[in-house]
Amino acid sequence: MDFRPSEEQVLLRRSVREFAETEIRPHVREWDQEQHFPAELRTKLAALGLLGIQFHEKYGGAGMSAIDYCICIEELARVDPAISLSVAAHNGLCSSHISLFGNEEQKQKFLVPLARGEKIGAWGLTESTSGSDAAGMRTTAARAGNCWVLNGSKTFTTHGRVGNVMVVMAVTDRAAGTKGISAFIVEHGTPGMSSGKKEDKLGMRASDTSEVLFENCRIPDDQLLGEEGHGFVNTMQVLDAGRIGIAALAVGLAQGAFEAALSYARERRAFGKPIAGFQAIQWKLADAATKIEAARLLTYQAAYLKERGRRTTLESSMAKLYASEIAVRVADDCVQIHGGYGFVKDYPAEKYFRDVKLTTIGGGTSEIQRLVIARQLLSK
Ligand SMILES: Cc1cc2nc3c(=O)[nH]c(=O)nc-3n(C[C@H](O)[C@H](O)[C@H](O)COP(=O)(O)OP(=O)(O)OC[C@H]3O[C@@H](n4cnc5c(N)ncnc54)[C@H](O)[C@@H]3O)c2cc1C
């Protein structure tokens, strides 16, 4: 067991950190305030390989490992969790679904431009009446000659407005339950597909989130993704990997909040000394650093197993649950250490505090992670 990062991983972390500090940090507050999705960042992210992190070079990807992926997502989240969420959703949901279950033709047509960062991906599972209970979806896809006709809507879709390619889950055989759900690739601009309400969010405001509507949206038969009826089970596999990404995002966010708190604690003086001199503050810092390290190890363990082709349902959920819950705690303590300055926008603490809540909700809530973990434990 070797916990040391490789030389390449040290370099990777350094280069993504430098990129985030120079290209993202100066704009964080403005993008958050304006709810601005920075499309202008796309070509720069693509140049670093960050829009095709784990995909094979032959599909336009950067061919990095699952742990490298975590490092990239962490370093982006350390500076701006909203940008990290966009990158994680593009890589870990839409592109990953096509990479795992698409045929060669679909990979050439859709994965290559996604991995090269020429297109942005969206992934639609959640609906207004079905989130955790995803199999309760209402969107349908019916065969009509050599087409499929989609009707329904998706809610909370990351890149619902700015995405060029979307993977959409729909019911193709209601009577078959979860075995009657299939996945489809839909190109933005297909007649019958439109973006609905843009969500005005608590946090992660620079990440585009909206409804997507389908009204008699006809898509060719060759855009059925994976086998008919396998959409739900394939989705669960996509989520196993996607949860490692949200865990890494939570670790990076917590790291950013911790560093902000540490630096503030050294500067801020009370009762004649820096507040870092008080044991009450030191304990918060010590607890935060310890929890972040434990969350990082759980996350890298899940990534390590994924890299070796192992099923990671249990490990992914454990990493996602733990990392997101400690991140909420660390962001809370970061505000507390900042006192009143943690409550105003001049310091980054309040933004970490708002952004972090998404990590216990997106990709499956903490309650659902506990349910998945318990099921795995009880099935042994
Ligand atoms: C910013 C953002 C981005 C998102 N991006 C995407 C995306 O790109 N694609 C996509 O498909 N979805 C996306 N989502 C949706 C997200 O995955 C869902 O919000 C999440 O799965 C929860 O579903 P819900 O909101 O319907 O809550 P609900 O399922 O209605 O849950 C409400 C509450 O009930 C609890 N609950 C539900 N069932 C159980 C149970 N069996 N046991 C115990 N408690 C339970 C939940 O844990 C939660 O606390 C995004 C959400 C947000 C906020």
Side-chain angles (χ1 to χ4, degrees):
M1 209 176 281
D2 185 351
F3 292 101
R4 287 170 304 176
S6 67
E7 254 175 58
E8 290 78 19
Q9 285 168 339
V10 171
L11 274 174
L12 175 68
R13 188 180 290 283
R14 193 178 304 151
S15 64
V16 182
R17 183 169 294 202
E18 272 171 22
F19 169 79
E21 290 292 349
T22 53
E23 301 290 342
I24 299 177
R25 177 89 72 195
H27 310 285
V28 171
R29 193 167 159 195
E30 172 204 333
W31 292 344
D32 176 65
Q33 206 144 341
E34 307 294 326
Q35 287 219 85
H36 172 69
F37 173 79
E40 61 272 24
L41 205 58
R42 186 177 54 81
T43 49
K44 293 174 184 169
L45 288 165
L48 275 181
L50 296 176
L51 296 178
I53 302 172
Q54 285 183 87
F55 307 112
H56 199 283
E57 284 98 334
K58 75 175 176 185
Y59 296 119
M64 293 191 232
S65 73
I67 291 186
D68 297 341
Y69 178 73
C70 293
I71 292 171
C72 297
I73 296 297
E74 258 180 77
E75 288 302 321
L76 294 174
R78 175 180 163 274
V79 171
D80 191 344
I83 302 303
S84 188
L85 177 64
S86 270
V87 170
H90 167 90
N91 277 276
L93 297 176
C94 175
S95 309
S96 166
H97 200 138
I98 298 173
S99 168
L100 284 170
F101 302 108
N103 57 35
E104 189 55 32
E105 218 172 286
Q106 291 169 335
K107 288 186 194 173
Q108 290 300 337
K109 183 169 178 194
F110 298 108
L111 180 60
V112 169
L114 285 164
R116 284 191 188 143
E118 293 158 5
K119 293 194 170 169
I120 297 287
W123 190 79
L125 177 67
T126 306
E127 301 186 1
S128 60
T129 54
S130 58
S132 304
D133 180 16
M137 70 179 68
R138 292 177 180 178
T139 297
T140 55
R143 255 189 206 283
N146 53 3
C147 280
W148 289 90
V149 182
L150 261 68
N151 276 291
S153 64
K154 295 291 169 181
T155 307
F156 298 142
T157 309
T158 301
H159 304 150
R161 293 170 83 85
V162 303
N164 312 100
V165 174
M166 179 168 176
V167 171
V168 182
M169 271 49 74
V171 176
T172 43
D173 179 0
R174 179 77 62 198
T178 53
K179 293 191 177 122
I181 290 172
S182 307
F184 299 88
I185 305 172
V186 188
E187 289 180 272
H188 208 98
T190 306
M193 177 195 195
S194 58
S195 304
K197 178 173 153 252
K198 173 178 168 150
E199 300 299 344
D200 186 3
K201 305 195 297 285
L202 167 74
M204 302 290 197
R205 288 166 62 81
S207 172
D208 173 66
T209 314
S210 82
E211 275 183 328
V212 181
L213 316 172
F214 300 96
E215 203 181 337
N216 294 322
C217 175
R218 292 174 87 83
I219 53 165
D221 196 25
D222 60 9
Q223 284 174 215
L224 171 71
L225 177 58
E227 283 180 51
E228 183 180 342
H230 286 212
F232 191 78
V233 70
N234 292 353
T235 288
M236 294 302 117
Q237 267 176 269
V238 171
L239 282 173
D240 278 352
R243 283 169 183 159
I244 301 175
I246 301 292
L249 193 162
V251 169
L253 187 159
Q255 181 70 36
F258 166 74
E259 287 175 22
L262 184 70
S263 140
Y264 187 81
R266 284 195 171 120
E267 285 164 21
R268 179 70 175 174
R269 296 179 71 84
F271 301 95
K273 60 179 180 180
I275 59 169
F278 299 118
Q279 198 178 51
I281 301 292
Q282 290 172 1
W283 284 18
K284 281 187 182 27
L285 293 171
D287 283 352
T290 307
K291 285 177 189 154
I292 293 168
E293 210 46 47
R296 186 175 282 122
L297 289 174
L298 269 182
T299 304
Y300 288 3
Q301 175 191 243
Y304 174 89
L305 293 172
K306 175 183 180 277
E307 191 65 26
R308 273 143 195 83
R310 294 265 298 276
R311 197 173 159 202
T312 64
T313 307
L314 176 69
E315 292 82 3
S316 296
S317 281
M318 283 179 166
K320 201 261 179 192
L321 172 67
Y322 185 74
S324 61
E325 296 207 333
I326 68 103
V328 168
R329 185 61 202 265
V330 171
D332 185 4
D333 281 346
C334 175
V335 170
Q336 194 66 23
I337 288 173
H338 279 74
Y341 293 100
F343 207 68
V344 295
K345 291 186 187 288
D346 298 343
Y347 288 82
E350 67 86 34
K351 181 173 181 292
Y352 288 121
F353 185 73
R354 288 185 287 109
D355 286 346
V356 75
K357 200 52 202 149
L358 185 271
T359 65
T360 66
I361 297 171
T365 62
S366 286
E367 291 77 7
I368 295 304
Q369 302 316 312
R370 288 190 167 86
L371 193 139
V372 170
I373 293 165
R375 266 194 205 140
Q376 291 289 313
L377 299 175
L378 292 166
S379 70
K380 280 181 183 159

